[in-house]
Amino acid sequence: MGRVLSGIQPSGQLTLGNYIGAMQNYVKLQHTEECYFMVVDLHAISVAQEPAKLREQSEAVAALFIAAGIDPLKANVYMQSHVRAHAELGWIMTTLSNMGELERMTQFKEKSAGKESVGAGLFVYPPLMAADILVYNSDLVPVGDDQKQHLELTRDLAGRFNSRYGEYFKIPEPYIPKVGARIMSLDDASKKMSKSNPNPGSYIALLDPPDVIRKKISRATTDSGREVKFDPASKPEISNLISIYSHCANMSVQEVEARYEGQGYGPFKKDLAEHVVSVIEPLQANYNEIRKSGEIHAILKQGAERAAAVADRTLAEVKERMGFLPPQ
Ligand code: AMP
Ligand code: TRP
C-alpha cells in the first residue's frame, strides 16, 4: 500500500475541473492506498480571505469531498491547519528553496502579474505544498496538470534534503488523469476552468443548480464548423467539451465522437448537459445531507488526529537530522 496525499483550497466554489482533474482520482485511489485528503486553508490565505467566507467554504469543501464519494473510514479527510506539522515543515522547506526557483513558478507569475503589491505568502506557497506532501513521505499525488511544476519542485526539495542530511524522503510521483487533467473555461478554451474567474459562465460549480448547468453548457463557446471531433489544436472548445462528456458519461473520446458523427453541436451539447447533471445531482443530494447532519466536524477531527500522528513523527525525525536540539 502506498501513501497518497492531495489538497484543494477553500478559496471559492469547487468546479467540475476540480472534480474531474483531482477528486475523481481521490475516490479511485482510496480503495487501494493509504490516503490523506485535506482542505488546504493555509494555502488559501496566501491571498486575503474574509473570515466568515473562509469558514463556510472550508466546511463546504470538506463536505464535497465526502459527497463526491470519499469514505472517511478509508481515507483521512481533514483541515491542513489542524495538523501543525504542515506549517512547521513548510518553513523548513522554505529555507531549502532558492529565490530563483520560486520566481520561475508559473502559478506565482500568473497570480502576481500586473499587481502593485504581491503577498510574500504567494511566493512561498510552493514550499508549503512540498511540506504537505513530504510530511507523510507520500508516494503519489493526484492533481490536475497545473500542479505539475509544484510537484517537480517538491521532488527537487526532497532530493536536496536527502543529499544534505542523508536519505530520508521518498521522491513523490504526480498522478494525473490522461484525459481531463486540464478542463478549460467554457468561454475561452485557452484558460483553465477556475473558481476564481470573475465570469461564472466560464465554469460549472459543483453546487450550481441543474438548470444553471444546462444554461451554461448551452452558452459554452464552440469552434466554427459542426463536427464533434477531438482535436485540441484546431478545435480547442469542442475538444474540452468532449473531455467533460467522456468523464461524465464514462465513455471514451472515440465513443463520443462516433455517437455524434454527422449530427453537429446541438444534440451533443444537449446530451452533455444531461450527463453533467446526472453526475452532479446525486453529489448535491449527498452534500445537502452531510451539511444537514453536522457530522463533518467529527470526520475532520478524526482525520486530523490520524494525520498528525504520522506528520509529527516525520517532523521530529527531520528536525533531529538537521541538528535541532530535541525537546527534553
Ligand atoms: P485548486 O482549486 O487550485 O485548489 O485545485 C485543486 C485541484 O484541482 C488541483 O489538483 C488542481 O490541479 C485541480 N484542478 C483545478 N482546476 C482544474 C481544471 N480546470 N482542470 C483539471 N484540474 C483542475
Ligand atoms: N496547490 C494546490 C492547488 O492550488 C493545492 C495543494 C496544496 C496541494 N497542497 C497540496 C495539492 C499538496 C496536492 C498536494 O491546486
Side-chain angles (χ1 to χ4, degrees), residues 7-9 17-18 21-22 142-147 180-183 192-193 195:
I8 298 188
Q9 298 188 60
N18 294 123
V143 281
D145 203 46
D146 60 328
Q147 297 301 314
R182 203 172 170 79
I183 298 297
K192 77 161 190 172
M193 181 181 283
K195 56 195 171 200

Side-chain angles (χ1 to χ4, degrees), residues 5-7 9 40 43 107 125 129 132-133 141 143 147 150:
L5 172 125
S6 197
Q9 298 188 60
V40 290
H43 277 99
Q107 189 169 309
Y125 175 115
M129 176 164 162
D132 295 341
I133 296 166
V141 184
V143 281
Q147 297 301 314
H150 290 160

